[in-house]
Amino acid sequence: MTRAAFAAAALLIGACSTTRMPDFHGVALGMAPRDVRDRFDEHGKFDVEPTADDYKMRFSPEHAAGVTTAQFEFHMGALVAIRAELSPTDAFARGESLLVTKAAVLRRTRAPESVHVDILARDCPTHHAEAESLVARP
């Protein structure tokens, strides 16, 4: 194994921890749709869209202060993906660019005006390849 490959593997192993994925504004992977609506700490409305595997809930805030948009994706009734655009001042916008656990991947992509967040379950058959690509992306 080359030094660069060893260093990359060490970083991935260090990032892949037993720590729990942080809740996203009161919401965690595995929740049911009702739990997401009840526990999401932003005010706004949800629109539901059926998909091939289950459905998505799109969130639109009443006042775009922290979360400007969010999409919650469900598979077999459980939350398996969160995709959101945040204001750079939102508390969840701060933190590591990549957090990997055995169960999930969190990727923050920063731009001058916003922060895009993807949180994906690694064991969901619909999202597995995408989750692993987030881990592999530099």
Side-chain angles (χ1 to χ4, degrees):
M1 182 182 273
T2 68
R3 258 187 213 172
F6 182 77
L11 280 174
L12 182 57
I13 290 167
C16 191
S17 67
T18 58
T19 60
R20 192 172 157 312
M21 189 64 57
D23 286 356
F24 176 72
H25 287 275
V27 173
L29 294 181
M31 285 184 169
R34 180 182 190 130
D35 295 328
V36 171
R37 283 190 305 270
D38 291 348
R39 296 182 183 173
F40 193 53
D41 65 12
E42 295 285 310
H43 297 286
K45 72 175 193 155
F46 288 95
D47 294 312
V48 177
E49 173 188 327
T51 65
D53 294 321
D54 223 324
Y55 58 94
K56 299 175 186 177
M57 286 186 353
R58 290 200 165 100
F59 173 79
S60 302
E62 286 178 10
H63 307 285
V67 178
T68 56
T69 63
Q71 178 172 285
F72 302 94
E73 299 174 19
F74 298 87
H75 183 77
M76 298 182 68
L79 181 62
V80 293
I82 302 169
R83 303 171 197 279
E85 294 294 328
L86 310 174
S87 163
T89 60
D90 185 82
F92 201 86
R94 295 185 290 275
E96 301 171 47
S97 294
L98 178 66
L99 176 60
V100 180
T101 70
K102 289 181 181 181
V105 176
L106 162 64
R107 166 79 69 177
R108 290 179 180 94
T109 307
R110 292 173 174 84
E113 300 294 320
S114 67
V115 176
H116 179 82
V117 172
D118 289 300
I119 305 171
L120 303 172
R122 297 177 81 184
D123 62 354
C124 173
T126 305
H127 293 86
H128 177 76
E130 182 183 3
E132 297 310 308
S133 76
L134 292 179
V135 172
R137 195 175 349 153

